[in-house]
Amino acid sequence: MKINKKLYSVTSVLTVLILFLILIPSTASAASSSAITETRITDHGTASNPDIYGNNIVWQDNRNGNWDIYIFDLSTKKEIHTTNTTDQITPAIYGNLVVWEDGRNGGHDIYMEDLSTKKQTRIPTSGAASTPDIYGNKIVYVKQAFNERESWYDLYMYDLSTKKETQIPTESSAHGPSIYGDKIVWLDFDAFNGGNYYIYMYDLSTKTRTQIAKAYWGKGQIGVPEIYDGKIVYSADFNWSDNMYDDIYMYDLSTKKETQITNISGVQACPVIYGNKIVWEDDSGDDGNTNHGIYMYDISTKQEMKISAKESAYYPAIYGNNIVWQYSDRYVTGDIYMATLGSDLPVAAFSASPTSGNLPLKVQFSDKSTGSPTSWKWNFGDGKTSTSRNPAHTYAKAGKYTVSLTVKNAAGTNTKTIKNYITVKTAPVKPVAAFSASPTSGYAPLKVKFTDKSANSPTSWKWNFGDGKTSTSKSPTYTYSKAGKYTVSLTVKNAAGSSTKTIKNYIVVNALKAPVAAFSASPRSGKAPLKVQFTDKSSNSPTSWKWSFGDGTYSTAKNPAHKYSKAGKYTVSLTVKNAKGSNTKTISGYIVVSK
């Protein structure tokens, strides 16, 4: 998880200026730091802007005279970096994919490296792009746009699976995008129409944009946001009457509620979130413009603690129990450090078997939590709870059940919730066979569509068409080639049993005979020009028609319309055919046309 720290300084210029003017010390609830192990990752004094995912830490580093992207693998203790003589900055990482802003082509491009293949790819952004973030197959970034009077930043997303770039609708100028799942958040600074600050969210699944927070120009400001699993964090000062002190806020998308996390004199900046942990840098103080370090707030325990061992710590990022940041002199380059939260801080996790089945369903739950919890509280989603470590629970009603486990020890608590984790189904009922067919009679060869109408959800079908042929399709189509009366049966099955439906002499197939021509017409008399509609009335299923209208014209349509243009009496004939023969019907003087 990452935050675009570069943009924090851009969109919160007033905050940075005020750091030099108004500095009041922060306070945090006391908490033991014995559970934290701090590790130094770099020692060149040239690193900045870290991010972390899994065992990989990424950052930008100018130890070689220009900015390169460096990656450190915590499991192998190996460091790799990009090799390019131009600048690569603002990295973000998800899984094995690292993205960054790259200047190798003379502008601003987004590049990506797959750590598993060591392959770098230029993302086709169709313009100058910067400050990327990545989740899954989606990369978000901003691109600078201009008109005659002003410039701003538009927001875009690139989908690696479809290889398509999509513009995300913004209010004005977008900064610091962050993505999680199908939701994108960003700071929208309306610099040219009032200068207001907004936090917006765009839902890719519903294609809707939602305003999360707003600060009016001259009265407050907001920093760039970060999103994780339905929770958005950001720094904000909504009332400059308190000397412009930024605090950390969290907005919960499920409850649609905003919560103020800190209430401290001074500036709390660059918040990030993972699970129940919010991390930020504390830039407040009246002691010579001091940064007090990196702090963390546990949403579940409502406890705040200092993470970094010393001050001048900036730009935090968090994944799991690992928190990385930059130690430096103010916002210039420094070294990357990592804190690992000790095992005495519990992290809830669990599994269940089975997770689905029929009533009554007995489920064995297994605690998988880390950090040595001393107590457990299960909520099975049906109103029942347990304090056992590995309880068994029987569900008595059908439905989908959300399960949560809260674990606790002396350091605090943590909760894991899995929505719709257990699916309980009603036991299957024996099926009742039923079917229909269309048509049920006609001449051979007769094509019949059979449709299953059985009740109680059968899982298999066996049709007997009465002529020795069968089918296991649910709703088959079958052609009878010989004349006769056919008894049809259908046998259906599911886990509860089987059922058979038989209809005697259901399909009647007649032998084909030579057709007998017949027809009618309307109108049969009138003034020229006279349009007449002819209708075939032939029997025994003809397959072709030939009309002679008596005026030297013909038609092979079954029911043609014909226009007589001259007065006279016209003899009409119709010849019909099928596989068994042909027949002609002629009516002399059938159509009378007057002047």
Side-chain angles (χ1 to χ4, degrees), residues 355-592:
T355 57
S356 65
N358 297 321
L359 282 172
L361 182 64
K362 185 177 181 180
V363 180
Q364 177 64 54
F365 292 92
S366 299
D367 172 53
K368 301 288 185 180
S369 305
T370 60
S372 302
T374 56
S375 69
W376 300 262
K377 177 69 178 290
W378 296 84
N379 187 320
F380 301 118
D382 60 352
K384 302 296 178 64
T385 61
S386 174
T387 56
S388 298
R389 181 177 182 182
N390 298 304
H393 179 66
T394 299
Y395 290 89
K397 294 182 179 180
K400 291 186 177 182
Y401 296 93
T402 296
V403 178
S404 66
L405 168 62
T406 299
V407 293
K408 186 177 182 180
N409 64 16
T413 63
N414 183 251
T415 299
K416 173 72 173 180
T417 300
I418 305 180
K419 188 175 182 181
N420 297 330
Y421 187 45
I422 305 299
T423 301
V424 184
K425 306 172 186 176
T426 303
V429 179
K430 180 179 177 180
V432 178
F435 62 88
S436 64
S438 179
T440 56
S441 64
Y443 291 100
L446 181 63
K447 186 177 182 181
V448 180
K449 172 66 176 176
F450 292 92
T451 303
D452 173 54
K453 301 279 189 178
S454 304
N456 300 333
S457 302
T459 56
S460 69
W461 298 261
K462 178 70 178 289
W463 295 84
N464 190 318
F465 301 119
D467 62 351
K469 300 297 177 65
T470 62
S471 174
T472 57
S473 298
K474 181 179 180 180
S475 297
T477 297
Y478 182 70
T479 300
Y480 291 90
S481 59
K482 295 181 180 180
K485 293 184 178 180
Y486 296 94
T487 296
V488 178
S489 67
L490 169 63
T491 299
V492 291
K493 293 182 181 181
N494 65 15
S498 64
S499 171
T500 299
K501 172 73 174 180
T502 301
I503 304 179
K504 189 175 182 180
N505 298 331
Y506 188 44
I507 305 300
V508 178
V509 183
N510 299 311
L512 187 63
K513 299 178 182 179
V516 177
F519 62 89
S520 64
S522 178
R524 290 177 49 202
S525 63
K527 292 182 179 181
L530 180 64
K531 184 176 181 180
V532 180
Q533 177 64 55
F534 292 91
T535 304
D536 173 54
K537 300 285 188 177
S538 306
S539 58
N540 297 336
S541 301
T543 56
S544 69
W545 299 262
K546 184 170 183 182
W547 297 82
S548 174
F549 300 117
D551 61 352
T553 60
Y554 303 89
S555 175
T556 57
K558 182 179 180 180
N559 298 302
H562 180 66
K563 183 183 290 185
Y564 292 89
S565 57
K566 295 181 179 180
K569 291 184 179 182
Y570 298 93
T571 296
V572 178
S573 67
L574 169 62
T575 298
V576 292
K577 293 182 181 180
N578 66 15
K580 288 294 183 178
S582 64
N583 184 251
T584 300
K585 173 74 173 181
T586 301
I587 305 178
S588 181
Y590 189 50
I591 304 300
V592 178

Side-chain angles (χ1 to χ4, degrees), residues 33 124 146 266 336 442 457 551:
S33 62
F146 301 89
I336 305 302
S457 302
D551 61 352

